[in-house]
Amino acid sequence: MIELIIILVLVGICIRCFCKCLTGRESGKKSVPAIAPIAVCKFRGCTRPAYVELDGTTYDFCGRRHATMYRDAIAVCKFRGCTRPAYVELDGTTYDFCGRRHATMYRDAIAGENVIPSYLKCSNPFCKNEKYLRNGDYLAYCGRICRDFMQKQVTIRKASSQEFWRIKDHFSASWDPLKGTCGQLCFVLVISNQTLKQQFNDYLSTLSIRAVSQYYHGTSLKCAIYDTKRICSDESCGICGVSHRGVLPKYKSTSIKFQRFGNGYYLAPNSSKSHDYTQGYDKYRAMFLCDVAEGNKFIVRNNNTKLAEPPIGYDSVYGEHGGVLNYDEIVLYTPKALLPTHILIYIKDGIHKIA
């Protein structure tokens, strides 16, 4: 009988302790206070935390700029994610957007609330997420995982000594003395991109004439790839963009307004001609040496700015000097027809855009 009473007492003590733990009233312990939610800026589209003084005073906005804009009811750019003020003319006319870029991007957006416009999609072709927004500008990827994944798909290495001198001789020999002294070639980087290579080989196999020639292509340099040997995330860096994504249709007519043979991808056999279309970084300029699947070339000597593709039966358009051209050039109308193989880093004429 005594044993039964002891067991019942112990069970009662256990039940009492368990109940106290659940209610947070156990002797000698205090319940953990709930963490107060962080206040967010009230300005439309802003996700920054509200400003907090040292004494704990919390304001409605992240800073003076948004507080002033909210107080004065300044119109904000309608572009999703942008918090810049809308553009205002001197006469007081207020537009819907902060500038032409966001106005154009909004206009060209795909209809539908749940559809991400193509220009906002992560640059990783296997990803369906939206690009990461930082300080009102979209980066190339949705985050670090996609950025690192895509960078691993492309390897950039320094050319061997033998390869460097072979390309340097070709670079110098194709430079026209009438364009001044040849640029000083400093680095040659080799691009290995299996995705672009497979795409190029598949296209080449469809042509009746399967010859491959090398041409130069000038573009912008916005990073120190000659030191890092890594692709940067700056979308305005043509060298990095073309190296890992290839040439994209949306960039065909962004830098050069006059296109002699229509909206296409222009390359030249002369390094001096491609130099006119480069823009540098630090003290260097850069251009590509590309493998080109010419196919059956359509030879022209006069302007034809309305071309959107080669004439039937041809695969590319080749402009010969002697008519309206001072130098030869080839125009491709599909990105699959060219494969960037080398990046040539050189010094010539500073870094500012020429053409």
Side-chain angles (χ1 to χ4, degrees):
M1 187 69 180
I2 296 175
E3 293 177 350
L4 180 60
I5 294 173
I6 293 173
I7 292 173
L8 291 174
V9 170
L10 291 175
V11 170
I13 293 172
C14 291
I15 293 174
R16 183 181 178 188
C17 292
F18 179 72
C19 292
K20 284 186 177 182
C21 288
L22 289 178
T23 57
R25 293 180 299 200
E26 187 178 354
S27 177
K29 293 185 179 180
K30 296 181 179 179
S31 58
V32 179
I35 298 175
I38 299 175
V40 179
C41 178
K42 286 177 58 177
F43 191 77
R44 182 178 68 85
C46 182
T47 58
R48 298 188 184 98
Y51 183 77
V52 181
E53 295 280 5
L54 294 176
D55 60 3
T57 304
T58 303
Y59 294 88
D60 291 332
F61 304 94
C62 59
R64 291 183 181 178
R65 177 170 170 264
H66 281 180
T68 303
M69 291 172 66
Y70 186 89
R71 182 196 65 200
D72 298 341
I74 296 176
V76 180
C77 177
K78 285 178 60 177
F79 188 77
R80 181 171 57 172
C82 181
T83 60
R84 298 189 183 101
Y87 183 78
V88 181
E89 296 277 7
L90 294 176
D91 60 3
T93 303
T94 303
Y95 293 88
D96 290 332
F97 303 95
C98 59
R100 290 183 182 178
R101 177 169 169 264
H102 279 181
T104 303
M105 292 170 71
Y106 186 90
R107 181 196 64 199
D108 297 339
I110 300 173
E113 294 181 0
N114 298 320
V115 179
I116 300 175
S118 58
Y119 62 84
L120 291 182
K121 287 183 179 178
C122 176
S123 295
N124 178 358
F126 305 103
C127 179
K128 297 181 180 180
N129 294 328
E130 187 173 325
K131 293 178 180 178
Y132 182 75
L133 180 67
R134 184 173 69 185
N135 298 329
D137 288 319
Y138 285 94
L139 303 184
Y141 304 99
C142 62
R144 291 183 180 180
I145 294 177
C146 280
R147 182 197 66 186
D148 294 343
F149 171 77
M150 288 304 295
Q151 287 179 345
K152 289 177 182 177
Q153 304 307 302
V154 185
T155 58
I156 306 293
R157 66 173 177 84
K158 185 179 178 181
S160 65
S161 177
Q162 183 178 1
E163 194 171 16
F164 174 86
W165 287 106
R166 177 183 65 81
I167 291 175
K168 183 175 183 179
D169 289 342
H170 189 276
F171 180 79
S172 301
S174 64
W175 190 282
D176 188 347
L178 295 177
K179 301 284 285 187
T181 56
C182 179
Q184 178 187 347
L185 189 62
C186 302
F187 306 97
V188 174
L189 305 178
V190 182
I191 307 167
S192 177
N193 188 323
Q194 295 305 314
T195 303
L196 295 183
K197 187 174 182 179
Q198 185 62 49
Q199 177 181 276
F200 177 79
N201 289 335
D202 290 345
Y203 174 76
L204 184 63
S205 65
T206 65
L207 302 179
S208 57
I209 301 176
R210 299 177 183 175
V212 176
S213 300
Q214 289 194 311
Y215 290 85
Y216 296 98
H217 177 69
T219 186
S220 60
L221 175 68
K222 299 290 184 179
C223 70
I225 192 173
Y226 41 84
D227 283 334
T228 63
K229 311 295 190 298
R230 288 176 61 85
I231 301 297
C232 74
S233 59
D234 188 343
E235 285 210 325
S236 65
C237 184
I239 288 294
C240 289
V242 174
S243 293
H244 90 281
R245 294 193 300 268
V247 288
L248 299 180
K250 67 177 182 178
Y251 293 127
K252 281 196 291 188
S253 60
T254 54
S255 57
I256 305 300
K257 299 305 178 184
F258 174 70
Q259 296 189 309
R260 196 178 299 278
F261 303 116
N263 199 9
Y265 307 103
Y266 288 70
L267 300 94
N270 298 99
S271 56
S272 53
K273 179 175 177 63
S274 293
H275 168 68
D276 290 345
Y277 303 95
T278 61
Q279 187 172 359
Y281 174 84
D282 193 8
K283 61 180 179 179
Y284 299 105
R285 290 181 182 270
M287 66 175 69
F288 287 108
L289 184 60
C290 304
D291 283 347
V292 173
E294 302 172 312
N296 188 16
K297 297 185 293 185
F298 180 69
I299 310 297
V300 292
R301 290 186 176 178
N302 296 312
N303 294 340
N304 190 344
T305 58
K306 298 190 177 182
L307 278 175
E309 59 184 10
I312 297 175
Y314 295 91
D315 305 299
S316 61
V317 171
Y318 192 89
E320 278 191 341
H321 73 280
V324 295
L325 284 170
N326 294 322
Y327 302 95
D328 289 3
E329 63 185 20
I330 190 169
V331 187
L332 309 170
Y333 299 89
T334 171
K336 300 177 182 179
L338 66 96
L339 174 67
T341 58
H342 297 83
I343 302 171
L344 280 55
I345 310 290
Y346 65 100
I347 298 175
K348 173 74 175 173
D349 298 332
I351 64 171
H352 299 293
K353 194 171 183 180
I354 299 174

